[in-house]
Amino acid sequence: MWTKIIRLWRVINKLKGDNMYLEKIDDERINEVSKKDVIDEIELNNDILIRKVLLGNKKFIFVKENQFVVFYGFGKILDIADEKGLYEVKKGESKNDLSSWNFIIQKAEDESNGVLFVNVSEIKNNKFYMKNLINYTDWTYEEEPFESKIRVQGIFNFKIIKPENFIKIVIGLRDHYSKPELLEQIRVFILKSIEEGIKELSEIHKVDIKTLVNNIHELKIKVNQNFYDEKLLSKGIKLTFFDIDKFELDEETQKMLEIEEKYNN
């Protein structure tokens, strides 16, 4: 217990130390800055969401397009930067509103000054796929509804639009975070919302299976109405694109549709 108290006392004293902030420097000053004093060339791509770099003896931070920078010290958020440019680390209070950043980054309490580079570009072409077929009541013949099974797959794009929410829910701090760590969480939200949409089309609107398969747009509308996007916002993530590109039916339903098509032709 005393170890925890001493550790907490050290953290509190560290946080009482000099505050530091980031100040964007004018373009004409850029040539005066020595490259050895700059944290730059931090690459983020479609697979890397966050990179962490310790400040060390660097005095400047270069922020690229579609990057959001979080500057911290001993776990406390000291400043943020969301515009492309070169920033100087200076002593003093941040000029930004940090009211939504009033939290400690987990497992960073013992680290001195560091920088998180957050990828805020659109992360594209992420696939989702139902592992199991789900039940669907087919109302082709209302007097005798037919129980069928369907499965869907498609793609989605997303962006980190609230880095403070995203960082707050991340457990621990590592050198970088990759896309696969998030994808499964997003898929869960999407698939749950698709199942809710399918259930509503079946039980409430009594859409027959053929109409459903030929009008995927209707299902997309129902999925959108389930506000799956709002559920993800709590994690700081926004879906920017969502598409169902394939329906898979159980064998019995597929044969039934094929027979019906031959009969109608």
Side-chain angles (χ1 to χ4, degrees):
M1 181 176 176
W2 281 108
T3 303
K4 290 183 179 178
I5 293 174
I6 293 171
R7 187 167 179 265
L8 180 61
W9 178 81
R10 286 175 178 171
V11 170
I12 291 172
N13 277 282
K14 286 173 181 176
L15 296 178
K16 286 181 179 178
D18 293 333
N19 277 332
M20 302 174 81
Y21 72 101
L22 303 177
E23 182 174 85
K24 191 175 183 181
I25 69 172
D26 298 330
D27 291 342
E28 54 265 25
R29 281 192 57 206
I30 291 179
N31 293 332
E32 301 172 7
V33 176
S34 172
K35 191 173 178 62
K36 65 180 179 63
D37 292 328
V38 181
I39 295 177
D40 64 354
E41 302 303 324
I42 302 300
E43 294 294 339
L44 302 173
N45 54 41
N46 203 57
D47 293 314
I48 300 297
L49 303 179
I50 294 183
R51 282 195 182 278
K52 180 193 77 171
V53 181
L54 294 179
L55 185 66
N57 59 359
K58 305 289 186 180
K59 301 174 184 176
F60 299 88
I61 300 166
F62 184 71
V63 180
K64 294 184 178 181
E65 197 76 39
N66 290 320
Q67 289 185 353
F68 187 104
V69 157
V70 179
F71 179 52
Y72 69 91
F74 300 107
K76 178 184 177 182
I77 312 298
L78 301 177
D79 209 352
I80 55 176
D82 60 358
E83 293 182 2
K84 180 181 177 181
L86 188 63
Y87 292 79
E88 183 176 6
V89 178
K90 305 185 78 171
K91 286 189 176 181
E93 296 287 339
S94 170
K95 298 173 184 177
N96 292 304
D97 179 9
L98 300 179
S99 57
S100 62
W101 293 87
N102 188 25
F103 60 89
I104 299 298
I105 301 176
Q106 296 182 55
K107 297 188 179 180
E109 300 96 328
D110 292 329
E111 293 185 355
S112 56
N113 300 113
V115 185
L116 296 180
F117 289 84
V118 183
N119 187 349
V120 292
S121 63
E122 187 177 21
I123 309 299
K124 299 181 178 181
N125 299 321
N126 309 287
K127 297 179 180 180
F128 67 87
Y129 178 75
M130 284 183 174
K131 293 180 180 178
N132 302 308
L133 291 162
I134 63 171
N135 294 327
Y136 188 86
T137 302
D138 181 11
W139 296 91
T140 301
Y141 308 103
E142 291 194 21
E143 67 280 2
E144 193 176 342
F146 181 78
E147 292 299 322
S148 59
K149 294 180 180 294
I150 64 174
R151 177 160 46 203
V152 300
Q153 68 180 50
I155 59 172
F156 64 92
N157 301 345
F158 70 93
K159 289 182 70 171
I160 298 172
I161 63 166
K162 288 184 175 292
E164 63 270 41
N165 288 14
F166 181 73
I167 292 170
K168 191 188 299 183
I169 60 96
V170 172
I171 300 173
L173 185 63
R174 303 192 297 281
D175 289 340
H176 74 276
Y177 292 88
S178 60
K179 184 174 67 171
E181 295 176 73
L182 256 191
L183 290 187
E184 200 54 40
Q185 295 181 47
I186 299 176
R187 286 191 189 105
V188 167
F189 280 102
I190 291 177
L191 291 175
K192 184 177 179 182
S193 195
I194 289 173
E195 288 187 27
E196 289 173 0
I198 289 173
K199 185 177 181 180
E200 183 177 340
L201 288 171
S202 172
E203 297 182 358
I204 299 176
H205 300 282
K206 297 186 176 181
V207 176
D208 64 85
I209 194 74
K210 186 176 180 180
T211 301
L212 179 66
V213 171
N214 292 333
N215 295 276
I216 298 178
H217 180 68
E218 293 295 321
L219 177 55
K220 293 177 190 175
I221 291 174
K222 289 302 173 189
V223 173
N224 280 317
Q225 289 173 347
N226 284 325
F227 304 111
Y228 62 90
D229 202 19
E230 289 184 11
K231 298 169 187 174
L232 287 171
L233 281 176
S234 64
K235 298 179 183 292
I237 302 161
K238 179 176 178 62
L239 291 184
T240 55
F241 177 76
F242 164 76
D243 188 37
I244 297 172
D245 56 22
K246 185 178 179 182
F247 261 106
E248 182 182 337
L249 304 172
D250 65 284
E251 188 176 348
E252 188 176 353
T253 304
Q254 186 64 48
K255 285 180 179 179
M256 183 193 73
L257 290 179
E258 289 172 0
I259 292 170
E260 183 181 339
E261 186 176 352
K262 286 180 182 179
Y263 178 80
N264 291 333
N265 290 334

